[in-house]
Amino acid sequence: KIMRRLYDYNMNPIGYVSENADGKQTAYDTNYRVLGYYFSGSDKTYDNNMRLVGRGDLLSAFYAPTAKR
């Protein structure tokens, strides 16, 4: 399992993304609350309630409002 810290343009932490060996990625905010999931096998992104967001890796969309601070 790999955990990456994400930063905004001012180098403030905005969240984390973990990646499992099977390709599943989980997006977290800075308090480690789940924002969403990306499943590489099906190439779909889901929100934290497992509602479909769209096709492809769209995890960065969960951080867009945070990055505009």
Side-chain angles (χ1 to χ4, degrees), residues 11-29:
M11 292 305 294
N12 296 312
I14 59 171
Y16 306 88
V17 173
S18 70
E19 184 172 356
N20 295 339
D22 63 0
K24 176 187 169 192
Q25 296 181 31
T26 305
Y28 301 92
D29 67 9

Side-chain angles (χ1 to χ4, degrees), residues 8-67:
D8 66 9
Y9 60 93
N10 287 322
M11 292 305 294
N12 296 312
I14 59 171
Y16 306 88
V17 173
S18 70
E19 184 172 356
N20 295 339
D22 63 0
K24 176 187 169 192
Q25 296 181 31
T26 305
Y28 301 92
D29 67 9
T30 54
N31 295 313
Y32 294 99
R33 290 182 294 232
V34 173
L35 299 174
Y37 307 93
Y38 170 67
F39 297 91
S40 61
S42 62
D43 195 33
K44 293 180 182 175
T45 301
Y46 297 87
D47 69 7
N48 61 339
N49 294 311
M50 293 304 293
R51 290 183 297 232
L52 180 65
V53 174
R55 296 188 61 83
D57 183 355
L58 304 174
L59 291 181
S60 62
F62 294 115
Y63 298 104
T66 305

